[in-house]
Amino acid sequence: MTTHLAAKIARDYGTPALVIDMDRVERNIARIQAACEAAGVANRPHIKTHKSPMLAKMQIVAGARGITCQKLGEAEVMADAGIDDILISYNLLGDEKMARLGALRARANVTVAADNPVVVADLTKAAAAARRSLPVVVECDTGRKRAGVETAAEAIALARTISTSPGLTFAGFMLY
C-alpha cells in the first residue's frame, strides 16, 4: 500500500530516499528522556541505529548525559562533530586502535568498556598516548551469554586490575 506522502516523495525525490519525520523523532527523544528522568537514571543513548551527530546532539540537548558508540570510528565521527561525552561499549584491541583511541581521548571525554585483562593491558597504551587517564567500565554479563564477565568475583577482580593499571581509572560497571 502506497500512501499519498510516499507517492509524493517517490515522485519528487526518486527512490530509494531516506525520509525522516522530525516531529516524531523529537517526540521519541522527549519521551525516552522523560522516562529516564522519571526512573532516576542517566540516559546515554546508543547511536548505532541512527549514526547521526545531528540526532545525537538533539538527544544531548534533551538531557542525555552523553552517547554510546559501538565502534571507535563512530566515536571519532561524534567527537569530530563536537560531542564530548562518549562511551565505547565494545572491547578494543591492537596497536592501531590504541593509537586512534589515544588520539581521541586526548581531545574528548571518552570512556571504554573491557571484559578481560588482555583488553585492560592494551588500554594502558591508549592512556599513555593521550597523556591523560582513560576511564574504563567493566562489562558484566547478565545471563544472556553475550559478552562480559560472568560472576561478581570476576567483575571485582577486573575492577581491581583496572584501578591498578597505569593511566586507567575504574569508572563503574556496564550491563546489557
Side-chain angles (χ1 to χ4, degrees), residues 59-73:
Q59 292 171 308
I60 291 167
V61 167
R65 175 181 181 174
I67 61 166
T68 301
C69 296
Q70 190 70 4
K71 297 171 55 181
L72 184 55

Side-chain angles (χ1 to χ4, degrees), residues 134-154:
L134 177 64
V136 182
V137 295
V138 173
E139 182 174 9
C140 302
D141 182 2
T142 56
R144 297 180 137 184
K145 305 293 183 206
R146 190 167 184 249
V149 296
E150 294 184 1
T151 68
E154 289 173 310

Side-chain angles (χ1 to χ4, degrees), residues 13 37-38 61 78 86 88 91 100 114 120 128 130 138 148 161 163:
Y13 300 104
E37 289 171 3
V61 167
M78 295 296 155
I86 302 168
I88 301 174
N91 287 311
R100 287 172 55 200
V120 171
V138 173
T161 299
S163 67

Side-chain angles (χ1 to χ4, degrees), residues 2-11:
T2 302
T3 65
H4 173 71
L5 179 58
K8 180 177 178 7
I9 290 166
R11 183 177 57 253

Side-chain angles (χ1 to χ4, degrees), residues 23-41:
D23 291 334
R24 183 171 289 177
V25 168
E26 290 171 1
R27 283 193 308 271
N28 285 344
I29 289 171
R31 180 178 51 83
I32 293 299
Q33 187 62 42
C36 289
E37 289 171 3
V41 298

Side-chain angles (χ1 to χ4, degrees), residues 4 9 15 19 21 39 44 66 73 75 85 109 119 162 164:
H4 173 71
I9 290 166
T15 59
V19 179
D21 181 340
R44 184 180 285 281
D85 192 341
N109 289 313
V119 169
I162 292 164
T164 59

